[in-house]
Amino acid sequence: MEPVSAVTTVWTIAKTAGEISKKLFEVGKSVKDREIKQQIDEITNQLRELKQNASELEDENRELRERLRFKSDAYEFRNPFWYANANPDRPLCPKCFAEEVIAPMGEETTSYSVRCRVCLVCNKTLYV
């Protein structure tokens, strides 16, 4: 299943569960029989759990897609930096990249006669 359709499916499940819960609540208000009311409450609770599970699945799906992004062919390592194929001239910090953070390196400067760049996120200096 495509990531977008998975998210759409999860969202649809959560929305439908919410709508059914509301309808059951309205029906439950007009029911006088205790046993039927208890069954409606149980179904409503199960629907709430379903909605919560759908929300958790959506969060997990988002996290997994983010992890996969770092393992795709969208990035290339050219010593000592990572580069996004979409921006091949902008080096990315290898330390941040290892932590799955896209962090651009600053402009190249010279320190003690050695060329270097500083990460704009973690401030790590890398010598070129």
Side-chain angles (χ1 to χ4, degrees), residues 13-28 40-51:
I13 290 170
K15 183 180 175 194
T16 304
E19 290 169 358
I20 293 170
S21 293
K22 287 178 188 175
K23 288 177 185 175
L24 277 173
F25 179 74
E26 292 300 318
V27 168
I40 290 173
D41 287 344
E42 288 174 11
I43 292 169
T44 303
N45 287 337
Q46 290 173 347
L47 283 168
R48 268 192 221 107
E49 288 177 21
L50 178 64
K51 189 175 178 180

Side-chain angles (χ1 to χ4, degrees), residues 20-67:
I20 293 170
S21 293
K22 287 178 188 175
K23 288 177 185 175
L24 277 173
F25 179 74
E26 292 300 318
V27 168
K29 289 193 307 189
S30 64
V31 172
K32 302 292 185 219
D33 188 313
R34 270 197 136 137
E35 194 175 311
I36 293 174
K37 264 191 171 190
Q38 184 178 357
Q39 289 176 349
I40 290 173
D41 287 344
E42 288 174 11
I43 292 169
T44 303
N45 287 337
Q46 290 173 347
L47 283 168
R48 268 192 221 107
E49 288 177 21
L50 178 64
K51 189 175 178 180
Q52 178 64 34
N53 289 344
S55 177
E56 290 169 4
L57 282 172
E58 184 178 3
D59 292 343
E60 184 180 337
N61 188 305
R62 188 178 302 113
E63 182 181 316
L64 289 171
R65 276 185 286 136
E66 188 65 23
R67 284 186 191 168

Side-chain angles (χ1 to χ4, degrees), residues 102-114:
I102 302 300
M105 299 298 287
E107 291 297 318
E108 191 173 296
T109 61
T110 304
S111 176
Y112 302 107
S113 301
V114 179

Side-chain angles (χ1 to χ4, degrees), residues 79-81 105 109-112 114-117 125-128:
N79 202 15
F81 304 112
M105 299 298 287
T109 61
T110 304
S111 176
Y112 302 107
V114 179
R115 295 181 346 212
C116 62
R117 288 182 183 255
T125 301
L126 286 171
Y127 296 99
V128 182

